[in-house]
Amino acid sequence: MTEKKIVLRAKNVQREFVSGDTTVTALRNCSLDVSAGEFVAIVGKSGSGKSTLANCLSGLDRPTSGTVTLLDRDLATLSEAEMAGLRAKEIGFVLQKDNLIPSLTIEENVAAPLVMGGMKLSAALDRARDMLAEVGLQHRAGQWPSQVSGGEAQRAAVARACVAEPAIIFADEPTGSLDEENGKQVQEIFHKLVATTGAAGLIITHDMDLAAGADVVVTIVDGQVVSTERKA
Ligand code: ADP
Ligand code: MG
């Protein structure tokens, strides 16, 4: 049996926040492997450290100690510019809300990662419109983020996170501000697009329903990984 390539590896990641004379340990000794094409759910209560972990894993934040390796590169060794380059190329990110740039149209938002990667605007917009069709938003392409619903904005954000075919796509509570029906739609689209691009997917949620369908469910309590369940 061939082993799948490990895209992301966290080893003993610790993150402390110091303010004045108090220290909050948001993450303690978190270790985690994500393989190519694997779908991972990180579940835990509010305040358990999920966003801190996602931020450390995606290079938005730096751990106090421990190592994060993305595509065999130790993130601690990268300069800010190298980190920004790696993030732009290999990491997609969907947040809970306010994902889209308000001064760009929906199609321009989705095209942005391609343009930043050097693609010509016209080609990037063509590709963005294809992606929008895949998430059922072709009719919204020319509109502004303020003109679309919350569910539509999140679907566009998923399209944007996937468009440049990064190695790993994070979603931090992507349905947290949506009603049940829209949340379900966004979840399905996230699964579908991640599977289509062949990327690894990492969804962060306090909702066990959202973790359904993941290959791996990682449970975090008080900043610690307490279980990692891998589907057979
Ligand atoms: P979750 O995403 O699971 O709700 P977070 O990762 O946001 O949890 O937070 C985990 C813990 O770390 C909480 O106690 C939170 O207050 C603390 N925390 C997160 N970010 C900061 C920060 N920038 N400064 C101080 N404490 C923080
Ligand atoms: Mg959070």
Side-chain angles (χ1 to χ4, degrees), residues 148-167:
V148 307
S149 72
E152 289 171 332
Q154 285 303 73
R155 277 147 61 194
V158 171
R160 184 182 56 182
C162 297
V163 72
E165 302 187 354

Side-chain angles (χ1 to χ4, degrees), residues 10-225:
K11 196 115 185 73
N12 300 328
V13 167
Q14 183 113 351
R15 179 65 168 103
E16 292 163 9
F17 293 106
V18 181
S19 78
D21 49 13
T22 53
T23 299
V24 175
T25 305
L27 297 175
R28 291 169 209 273
N29 278 317
C30 290
S31 297
L32 174 72
D33 282 346
V34 182
S35 299
E38 198 166 55
F39 200 91
V40 178
I42 296 182
V43 297
K45 288 184 187 159
S46 177
S48 58
K50 302 181 298 297
S51 293
T52 305
L53 182 59
N55 293 345
C56 286
L57 294 181
S58 60
L60 277 174
D61 188 15
R62 291 185 187 261
T64 309
S65 63
T67 53
V68 177
T69 314
L70 178 70
L71 300 171
D72 299 322
R73 303 182 73 181
D74 178 350
L75 298 188
T77 67
L78 303 182
S79 68
E80 289 299 323
E82 287 170 330
M83 190 62 240
L86 186 64
R87 282 184 53 80
K89 201 161 171 283
E90 302 295 359
I91 301 177
F93 217 112
V94 183
L95 298 167
Q96 183 171 335
K97 56 183 167 73
D98 299 330
N99 259 304
L100 301 175
I101 300 170
S103 58
L104 298 180
T105 61
I106 298 296
E107 65 184 4
E108 288 167 348
N109 265 281
V110 176
L114 298 174
V115 173
M116 287 189 282
M119 193 184 280
K120 274 201 178 144
L121 181 62
S122 59
L125 287 172
D126 280 347
R127 180 79 190 106
R129 285 189 282 266
D130 290 345
M131 288 298 281
L132 285 169
E134 280 198 54
V135 302
L137 288 179
Q138 57 274 49
H139 58 300
R140 297 291 193 204
Q143 294 188 321
W144 303 103
S146 60
Q147 295 176 297
V148 307
S149 72
E152 289 171 332
Q154 285 303 73
R155 277 147 61 194
V158 171
R160 184 182 56 182
C162 297
V163 72
E165 302 187 354
I168 186 162
I169 302 161
F170 289 81
D172 188 352
E173 311 225 24
T175 67
S177 59
L178 302 177
D179 62 40
E180 197 177 327
E181 194 185 324
N182 278 295
K184 202 163 181 309
Q185 236 178 19
V186 167
Q187 180 197 4
E188 283 169 4
I189 278 166
F190 184 72
H191 271 267
K192 184 182 100 173
L193 285 199
V194 169
T196 308
T197 61
L202 206 152
I203 195 162
I204 289 118
T205 180
H206 61 266
D207 178 354
M208 276 311 289
D209 283 350
L210 271 191
D215 303 311
V216 186
V217 177
V218 176
T219 305
I220 172 165
V221 176
D222 288 341
Q224 279 183 289
V225 173

